[in-house]
Amino acid sequence: MCAIVGVISEQPVQESEFLKCRDVMSHRGPDDAGVWFNQEGTVALGHRRLSIIDLSHSGHQPMISRCGRYILVFNGEIYNYLEVREELIALGHQFVSTSDTEVVLIAYVEWGEGCLIRFNGMFALALWDKGDSNTARSLFLARDRVGKKPLYYSHAGSSFSFSSELKGIPSSFRGDIDLGSLNFYLALGYVPGDRCIVEGVMKLPPACFARFRPDRSELTVNRWWK
């Protein structure tokens, strides 16, 4: 169990406040902690690590691709990562760790969104793409087939936040108790679908991926498996 958290904002993200959002989930990842900010300070990714595969610092997150374009935070385990790793090596990719996180990162570099169908495991991930002259910058989010690993998010205009737990979402993105969701909880014992008990926060559904494009203030959610 690990924790991932991130904020995209029009204004620079306050590092001290962001670290509080990350470390409030330290129980999910007591072994290591990492953070990454873009040059402008408007994109922040954080990670709390429970070391299971590759206990060395080579598995540290956020993990940056060799080209420097992609930055990944990942919570979960890919059971068939060795098979996917061998396929990527055959395609000419090189690895510096034995972690499944690096396999996820390089698989995205190679196959984009299509990498998800190759993964057998439980996961929630977020990947920041800096973009290039032909592709706008974006944040890619994904969740495993049955939703074993949680992922909450909040979207307001060109600002966006995500976290493994509700308390990791900054207070500026969270509202009061959502009365409609509370009604569902009292009637069913859980909050169904992509709703959340808190106003302004949603759950990414199982077997879905999302892409947030801050330059367009656009969020799209798609199902990658049925």
Side-chain angles (χ1 to χ4, degrees):
M1 181 169 65
C2 298
I4 62 175
V5 62
V7 172
I8 299 172
S9 176
E10 293 181 346
Q11 302 299 320
V13 179
Q14 295 297 315
E15 183 173 2
S16 60
E17 294 302 313
F18 182 73
L19 293 180
K20 288 179 183 178
C21 293
R22 182 198 67 182
D23 292 340
V24 75
M25 299 181 291
S26 59
H27 60 283
R28 298 181 65 93
D31 297 329
D32 189 20
V35 66
W36 177 87
F37 286 85
N38 70 343
Q39 187 174 3
E40 297 77 20
T42 55
V43 180
L45 300 178
H47 187 262
R48 294 288 319 198
R49 184 185 183 196
L50 177 66
S51 300
I52 297 176
I53 299 175
D54 191 344
L55 308 185
S56 74
H57 189 73
S58 297
H60 179 78
Q61 298 184 48
M63 186 174 286
I64 304 173
S65 65
R66 280 175 171 265
C67 63
R69 173 173 167 174
Y70 305 99
I71 301 91
L72 172 70
V73 284
F74 170 74
N75 168 34
E77 185 175 353
I78 305 300
Y79 307 134
N80 65 329
Y81 78 100
L82 291 175
E83 291 88 341
V84 179
R85 189 176 192 270
E86 289 303 315
E87 187 176 359
L88 289 166
I89 290 174
L91 291 170
H93 293 281
Q94 297 178 333
F95 288 79
V96 298
S97 77
T98 58
S99 70
D100 55 349
T101 303
E102 189 178 15
V103 171
V104 172
L105 177 59
I106 294 179
Y108 185 88
V109 172
E110 177 66 31
W111 298 304
E113 298 166 359
C115 69
L116 297 174
I117 202 67
R118 288 176 156 84
F119 299 151
N120 174 18
M122 53 180 181
F123 58 85
L125 63 88
L127 184 144
W128 175 248
D129 178 356
K130 295 180 180 179
D132 58 20
S133 58
N134 298 314
T135 307
R137 60 186 190 145
S138 66
L139 178 73
F140 178 73
L141 305 168
R143 201 163 170 218
D144 63 74
R145 289 170 174 81
V146 298
K148 177 70 174 176
K149 294 300 181 183
L151 190 56
Y152 297 88
Y153 70 88
S154 179
H155 171 216
S158 58
S159 296
F160 190 91
S161 178
F162 68 86
S163 178
S164 294
E165 295 187 8
L166 265 176
K167 56 187 164 185
I169 300 287
S171 58
S172 59
F173 285 86
R174 288 185 272 131
D176 297 324
I177 295 293
D178 182 85
L179 296 181
S181 296
L182 177 61
N183 185 53
F184 276 117
Y185 180 77
L186 294 174
L188 303 175
Y190 66 97
V191 180
D194 60 356
R195 299 181 67 116
C196 184
I197 198 71
V198 174
E199 290 179 336
V201 182
M202 307 283 282
K203 295 176 292 190
L204 183 66
C208 286
F209 69 83
R211 190 173 295 278
F212 175 63
R213 297 174 173 85
D215 298 337
R216 294 189 237 164
S217 301
E218 177 185 87
L219 175 69
T220 56
V221 178
N222 295 282
R223 181 169 292 275
W224 62 270
W225 180 82
K226 291 183 181 179

